[in-house]
Amino acid sequence: MYSKPVLLVIAHGSRDPRHAATVHALVRRVRSLRPGLRVETGFLDFNIPSVHGALESLAAEGVRDVVALPLLLTRAFHAKADIPAVLRDAPPQLRIRQAEVLGPSPLLLSALERRLYEAGLTPADKSSTGVVLASAGSSDPEAIAVIADIAREWRHTGWCAVRPAFASASLPRTEDAVRELRELGCARVAVAPYVLAPGFLPDRIARGAAEADVLAEVLGPAPEVARVLLQRYDAARRPALAAVGA
């Protein structure tokens, strides 16, 4: 009898307890959106269960099909190297498909705007507000280019201006982008962290936003983010669905 693959959400992990708490809150929201789907979590580092431990547990239960979903916003080193390496060491009886990373997605732009409105902005403020799209940063040129593309796309939705910024590995920093938007003449400046959970780099973004008028929360368990997870899961299992005529 055909059964749905288990969704294994693969998070980075952090020494900061807020990180795992946010990941678990997001997973709970995914489960609430699709009650018939089994969703588990594994961490690459710092937290338990590890990805390997989660896969071994699933195999021991008799699970055979898994969709491994990187809880990442860009396709950088973790998605290209770390996660595939861990999945190659999975128990051999598991059939694993690696889903795409979450970004870019129009739903994530909606989640960013949700966080800005929750922080006090309104749609009427858009034309006079400059936004810093503040990401963790990466040494991967593809990931940096994606952030720049998202900023350009978001600008076309009515904001005064949108500038990308990075907490590590790349420039500009959040505080520099805030100053640039001031110099452009935006009436107010808002910082939108393009990160999924609190931690060291999001804290650096927050410090860089000291001179901004508005600092939004991280994306966290926003409903739009949960919907993106389900979209990536469905896309990953589509070939199997076609094979069984589902």
Side-chain angles (χ1 to χ4, degrees):
M1 179 176 164
Y2 179 76
S3 60
K4 296 175 185 174
V6 171
L7 170 56
L8 177 64
V9 176
I10 300 179
H12 184 277
S14 171
R15 292 186 178 90
D16 189 323
R18 297 174 298 168
H19 174 89
T22 302
V23 170
H24 291 312
L26 176 58
V27 167
R28 286 194 297 271
R29 187 176 287 276
V30 172
R31 289 177 181 141
S32 72
L33 291 176
R34 194 169 296 180
L37 175 62
R38 180 173 177 182
V39 188
E40 300 294 341
T41 309
F43 294 90
L44 289 172
D45 209 350
F46 302 117
N47 303 104
I48 55 173
S50 67
V51 177
H52 186 72
L55 291 169
E56 285 194 324
S57 295
L58 290 172
E61 289 180 36
V63 170
R64 290 296 174 264
D65 290 291
V66 175
V67 169
L69 195 157
L71 197 61
L72 301 168
L73 293 171
T74 57
R75 185 173 157 72
F77 182 78
H78 291 304
K80 294 177 178 178
D82 282 353
I83 292 174
V86 173
L87 297 180
R88 281 194 294 271
D89 288 336
Q93 62 268 44
L94 291 175
R95 293 184 291 266
I96 302 175
R97 292 186 287 282
Q98 181 176 331
E100 290 296 326
V101 298
L102 303 185
S105 166
L107 283 170
L108 294 177
L109 283 181
S110 297
L112 286 166
E113 294 210 355
R114 170 192 289 276
R115 293 301 187 225
L116 286 171
Y117 296 151
E118 289 171 349
L121 293 179
T122 71
D125 296 323
K126 289 184 76 167
S127 62
S128 59
T129 301
V131 178
V132 178
L133 179 68
S135 78
S138 173
S139 58
D140 188 306
E142 179 187 349
I144 297 304
V146 166
I147 299 300
D149 287 344
I150 293 169
R152 282 192 292 270
E153 179 183 347
W154 204 14
R155 164 68 182 86
H156 295 315
T157 67
W159 296 100
C160 172
V162 180
R163 294 290 185 271
F166 308 93
S168 69
S170 307
L171 296 174
R173 294 287 183 257
T174 302
E175 53 269 32
D176 299 324
V178 169
R179 293 188 192 105
E180 181 187 351
L181 290 171
R182 292 273 188 228
E183 292 167 2
L184 279 175
C186 297
R188 66 183 64 77
V189 176
V191 174
Y194 189 59
V195 293
L196 287 165
F200 176 75
L201 292 178
D203 284 349
R204 182 180 287 176
I205 290 171
R207 290 193 296 273
E211 296 180 13
D213 302 293
V214 173
L215 171 63
E217 293 292 331
V218 299
L219 293 172
E224 296 88 351
V225 179
R227 287 167 58 198
V228 176
L229 264 72
L230 290 172
Q231 286 182 350
R232 298 293 182 256
Y233 169 82
D234 290 338
R237 57 182 292 251
R238 208 160 281 143
L241 286 173
V244 299

